[in-house]
Amino acid sequence: MGSSSDSKIMHSAATILDEFGVAHEDQIVSAHRTPTRLSDYAKHAEKEGFKVIIAGAGGSAHLPGMIASHTVIPVIGVPIMVYNDKANSDKFKFSAFGGLDALLSISEMPTGSPVVTVGVNKAANAGLYAVKILANEFPELRSKLKKHKETQYNSVIKESDEMRKIGLARFAGKKK
């Protein structure tokens, strides 16, 4: 992630990876404040045999694209809407464009340096996509993904049955 304030969003990716038993390395690497570290980290990732990199950043969101420019490892970009203006306050603030700035920055990489982009603040989806990439090489992950999808399916059916039984108004009231 580009900043420690991004951890509030990026922890969702780590949670998914942990759930699937995927080892991961969590780092703060700023494209703007630590450009040499960024280059070194890309080399480190290749040397260590990383299979995929998840990079989250807000605002101009250069981190995913810059990491992708330094490595052949697939990069999943997470555009982050929330950022922390450390100079003024410890409170979270929202980016001026509601995360659209980060989304467009990450999704519009120039030809030759692609980054897969998930939705704004959707780090959990980045984690799942990383697991899908890894599942091509590791059959045990493919089995876990199928079980995960089955669990999701059953959860939706269970909720639908409950809603039908008690009615929409009561069901929606329980969700608040």
Side-chain angles (χ1 to χ4, degrees):
M1 64 200 80
S3 171
S4 62
S5 59
D6 298 340
S7 66
K8 300 287 185 191
I9 301 302
M10 294 303 291
H11 82 277
S12 298
T15 299
I16 293 291
L17 295 173
D18 290 344
E19 180 182 315
F20 281 89
V22 174
H24 53 94
E25 181 177 287
D26 308 309
Q27 295 285 329
I28 299 169
V29 180
S30 172
H32 300 114
R33 295 179 303 251
T34 62
T36 305
R37 178 174 164 83
L38 183 146
S39 175
D40 291 345
Y41 190 76
K43 291 172 190 162
H44 161 76
E46 286 192 355
K47 180 180 162 212
E48 293 299 317
F50 289 14
K51 304 290 185 189
V52 63
I53 295 173
I54 300 172
S60 61
H62 288 127
L63 180 62
M66 290 304 297
I67 285 281
S69 75
H70 286 280
T71 184
V72 296
I73 299 169
V75 176
I76 303 169
V78 180
I80 297 178
M81 176 176 59
V82 180
Y83 70 94
N84 184 353
D85 184 355
K86 295 175 186 175
N88 298 326
S89 167
D90 287 336
K91 292 181 73 177
F92 278 93
K93 297 182 178 187
F94 293 93
S95 61
F97 301 102
L100 183 60
D101 47 354
L103 175 66
L104 293 174
S105 180
I106 297 170
S107 67
E108 291 296 329
M109 288 293 109
T111 299
S113 202
V115 173
V116 169
T117 310
V118 296
V120 175
N121 288 355
K122 300 288 187 182
N125 279 349
L128 281 169
Y129 198 78
V131 172
K132 286 183 172 191
I133 290 171
L134 295 169
N136 287 308
E137 187 173 337
F138 302 100
E140 67 275 9
L141 286 178
R142 184 177 296 264
S143 297
K144 288 180 181 181
L145 275 169
K146 287 182 179 193
K147 178 72 172 155
H148 177 76
K149 287 193 141 317
E150 183 181 322
T151 300
Q152 282 183 313
Y153 177 88
N154 291 334
S155 175
V156 171
I157 297 301
K158 181 180 175 186
E159 283 187 322
S160 179
D161 290 345
E162 181 184 0
M163 183 175 62
R164 195 170 3 144
K165 186 187 294 183
I166 67 174
L168 178 56
R170 285 183 54 207
F171 182 81
K174 289 174 59 175
K175 291 290 179 183
K176 291 181 183 176

